[in-house]
């Protein structure tokens, strides 16, 4: 049980067991909060100060007057059970005396972690927990890897087409294996791979800025699995939304996934406005909305701009709206409860079921609707 516990945690385990006959003569796995405070008073200097604060909050938050040994193990191994979270919520007033931002003497990397904590988490107890447990291992590789791949693909087509703006107007742009095209919708990978193609350097630049400035901090806090889930769901919802509502248009760009992350983050900030302590949060929200509006406006303009090779239209903007829909529903639930397992959240399963139903409807639509509606598709690229 102690395999994942730090060496200091093992020392405390040994100390707990040495005092077992004194504090827990019945060997029940619980000791009283009074005796637990005595243990902290005698040996608390050995602990990280934030862990000590959380342990005190745990002691203060247990209404039944007992501390569970398993909760202690969870803390020392950086895990939290539901009962442990409830106890911390009840005793969190113990954590408000010294804010994390007041600490001095931190190195550059630790200041960055503290900054990310205040940018993304609304509660001080979660910020301190994250600050203590984050180790940069693994690093936020997912958003960086996707961004690098997008830049490499854009550079490749830029040199090949000798065009860096409005690449989509080149007859060879849509001939590649990556962009989504309605005539090639049977090639299922295109519903995801289109994110690596961008219409021009302005398209790539805006998506990169939002992807890195919002996606990387979110990945540092919530992990690649959660952020990847929101991102991929936004990407898939974007291409399927286009195939349902803008049936003749191709799709390029990572806006579906980017808008899912950004809209989920902004909604989380608004919903926890009083608890979010990030600097200039109103200004930052306004800048994010301006960037989203500029990028979306560019996409709408391009969609209705006369195509260079009619009757093939320019790429659709509907993928942006699909990403926003995912971010405001599934994304908010994923980001709202820090470290709570997704399978424990009933609201997550509700939104995930609705999302799955939409995906199934989109698949059947792509199989049957085009022929039933006799849609006149543009020629294949």
């Amino acid at each position: 049980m102690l395999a994942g516990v730090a060496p200091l945690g093992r020392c405390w385990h040994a100390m707990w067991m040495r005092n077992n006959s004194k504090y827990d003569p019945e060997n029940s796995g619980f000791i009283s909060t009074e005796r637990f405070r005595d243990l902290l008073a005698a040996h608390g200097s050995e602990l990280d100060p934030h862990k000590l604060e959380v342990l005190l909050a745990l002691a203060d938050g247990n209404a039944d007057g007992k501390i569970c040994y398993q909760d202690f193990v969870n803390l020392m191994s950086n895990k939290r059970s539901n009962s442990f979270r409830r106890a911390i919520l009840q005793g969190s007033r113990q954590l408000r005396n010294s804010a994390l931002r007041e600490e001095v003497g931190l190195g550059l990397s630790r200041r960055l972690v503290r900054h990310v904590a205040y940018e993304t988490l609304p509660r001080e107890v979660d910020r301190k927990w994250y600050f203590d447990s984050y180790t940069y291992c693994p690093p936020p590789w997912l958003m960086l890897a996707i961004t690098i791949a997008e830049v490499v693909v854009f550079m490749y087509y830029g040199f090949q087409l000798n065009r860096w703006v409005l690449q989509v107007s080149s007859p060879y742009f849509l001939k590649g294996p990556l962009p989504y095209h309605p005539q090639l919708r049977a090639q299922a990978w295109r519903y995801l791979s289109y994110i690596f193609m961008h219409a021009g350097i302005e398209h790539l630049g805006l998506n990169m800025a939002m992807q890195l400035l919002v996606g990387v901090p979110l990945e540092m806090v919530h992990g690649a699995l959660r952020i990847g889930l929101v991102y991929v769901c936004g990407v898939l919802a974007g291409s399927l939304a286009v195939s349902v509502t803008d049936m003749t248009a191709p799709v390029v760009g990572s806006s579906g996934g980017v808008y899912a992350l950004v809209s989920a983050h902004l909604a989380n900030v608004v919903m926890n406005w009083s608890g979010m302590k990030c600097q200039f949060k109103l200004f930052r929200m306004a800048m994010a909305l301006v960037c989203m509006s500029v990028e979306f406006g560019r996409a709408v303009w391009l969609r209705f701009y006369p195509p260079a090779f009619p009757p093939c239209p320019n790429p659709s903007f509907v993928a942006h709206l699909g990403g926003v829909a995912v971010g405001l529903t599934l994304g908010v639930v994923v980001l709202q409860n820090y470290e709570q397992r997704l399978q424990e959240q009933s609201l997550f399963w509700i939104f995930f079921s609705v999302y799955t139903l939409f995906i199934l409807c989109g698949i059947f639509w792509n199989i049957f609707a085009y022929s039933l509606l006799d849609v006149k598709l543009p020629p294949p690229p």
Side-chain angles (χ1 to χ4, degrees):
M1 180 168 57
L2 291 171
V5 182
L8 183 57
R10 296 191 187 97
C11 293
W12 268 67
H13 163 71
M15 180 181 61
W16 180 297
M17 301 310 295
R18 283 198 307 269
N19 292 279
N20 189 54
S21 58
K22 175 181 177 182
Y23 292 145
D24 184 19
E26 299 177 0
N27 199 26
S28 63
F30 292 84
I31 66 172
S32 68
T33 54
E34 290 80 8
R35 289 174 176 173
F36 186 67
R37 287 193 184 91
D38 294 341
L39 201 60
L40 291 177
H43 302 278
S45 59
E46 305 170 18
L47 286 173
D48 183 283
H50 296 147
K51 278 191 169 58
L52 179 59
E53 283 187 280
V54 175
L55 282 169
L56 288 170
L58 176 64
D60 188 66
N62 274 273
D64 55 3
K66 295 181 180 180
I67 298 295
C68 176
Y69 170 67
Q70 185 57 51
D71 283 341
F72 167 79
V73 171
N74 287 339
L75 173 70
M76 301 310 295
S77 57
N78 290 325
K79 297 179 182 178
R80 292 192 283 186
S81 63
N82 284 334
S83 61
F84 184 66
R85 293 188 193 98
R86 286 193 295 269
I88 292 298
L89 281 173
Q90 295 170 6
S92 60
R93 62 180 178 274
Q94 295 282 346
L95 297 167
R96 296 174 188 168
N97 296 328
S98 57
L100 183 60
R101 67 169 66 252
E102 297 173 1
E103 294 197 8
V104 295
L106 299 177
L108 180 62
S109 62
R110 299 307 292 167
R111 290 202 301 270
L112 175 61
V113 172
R114 181 175 63 180
H115 174 75
V116 169
Y118 277 98
E119 288 292 315
T120 56
L121 295 172
R123 296 193 306 139
E124 187 70 13
V125 60
D126 285 330
R127 289 191 283 260
K128 289 187 175 182
W129 182 278
Y130 167 74
F131 182 80
D132 284 339
S133 60
Y134 188 72
T135 61
Y136 287 99
C137 185
W141 60 270
L142 180 63
M143 288 293 101
L144 294 175
I146 292 175
T147 303
I148 292 172
E150 290 171 356
V151 172
V152 169
V153 171
F154 179 79
M155 296 290 289
Y156 170 79
Y157 279 96
F159 285 113
Q160 186 183 57
L161 305 175
N162 194 24
R163 183 187 292 268
W164 304 96
V165 178
L166 289 179
Q167 287 186 348
V168 70
S169 64
S170 170
Y172 298 102
F173 183 78
L174 295 178
K175 288 183 179 292
L178 298 178
Y180 169 84
H181 190 281
Q183 283 280 18
L184 304 174
R185 64 188 184 280
Q187 299 175 0
W189 71 84
R190 292 179 181 267
Y191 289 90
L192 295 173
S193 64
Y194 73 92
I195 67 172
F196 299 108
M197 303 285 286
H198 288 81
I201 193 169
E202 78 293 343
H203 188 199
L204 174 68
L206 286 169
N207 277 339
M208 279 182 55
M210 292 187 289
Q211 194 163 269
L212 293 176
L213 292 176
V214 176
V216 170
L218 288 178
E219 185 181 349
M220 288 177 64
V221 173
H222 297 283
L225 183 62
R226 287 188 180 218
I227 298 307
L229 174 66
V230 176
Y231 190 87
V232 171
C233 286
V235 169
L236 187 55
S239 55
L240 284 175
V242 172
S243 71
V244 171
T245 63
D246 198 2
M247 300 170 68
T248 62
V251 188
V252 295
S254 58
S255 299
V258 171
Y259 276 53
L261 291 179
V262 175
S263 59
H265 175 59
L266 293 182
N268 195 37
V269 171
V270 171
M271 293 169 62
N272 299 281
W273 187 261
S274 60
M276 299 300 293
K277 303 299 183 183
C278 49
Q279 291 183 326
F280 312 112
K281 58 184 176 182
L282 187 59
F283 174 76
R284 297 167 72 90
M285 282 193 62
M287 290 302 298
L289 291 173
V290 167
C291 289
M292 293 174 69
S293 301
V294 169
E295 207 277 327
F296 181 71
R298 182 213 56 83
V300 173
W301 170 83
L302 180 61
R303 174 65 180 88
F304 296 107
Y305 186 79
F309 299 94
C312 183
N314 287 324
S316 177
F317 61 86
V318 178
H320 300 68
L321 304 179
V324 170
V326 168
L328 294 180
T329 53
L330 189 65
V332 168
V333 176
V334 171
L335 302 186
Q336 193 170 19
N337 296 314
Y338 169 65
E339 263 201 350
Q340 184 177 349
R341 295 183 181 90
L342 294 179
Q343 60 266 31
E344 297 174 355
Q345 303 182 47
S346 58
L347 199 57
F348 167 79
W349 288 110
I350 293 174
F351 283 128
F352 189 76
S353 299
V354 173
Y355 176 80
T356 304
L357 181 62
F358 164 75
I359 297 298
L360 293 175
C361 290
I363 292 173
F364 282 106
W365 179 275
N366 278 272
I367 294 174
F368 301 110
Y370 282 77
S371 57
L372 292 176
L373 298 176
D374 194 23
V375 178
K376 295 186 183 301
L377 295 176

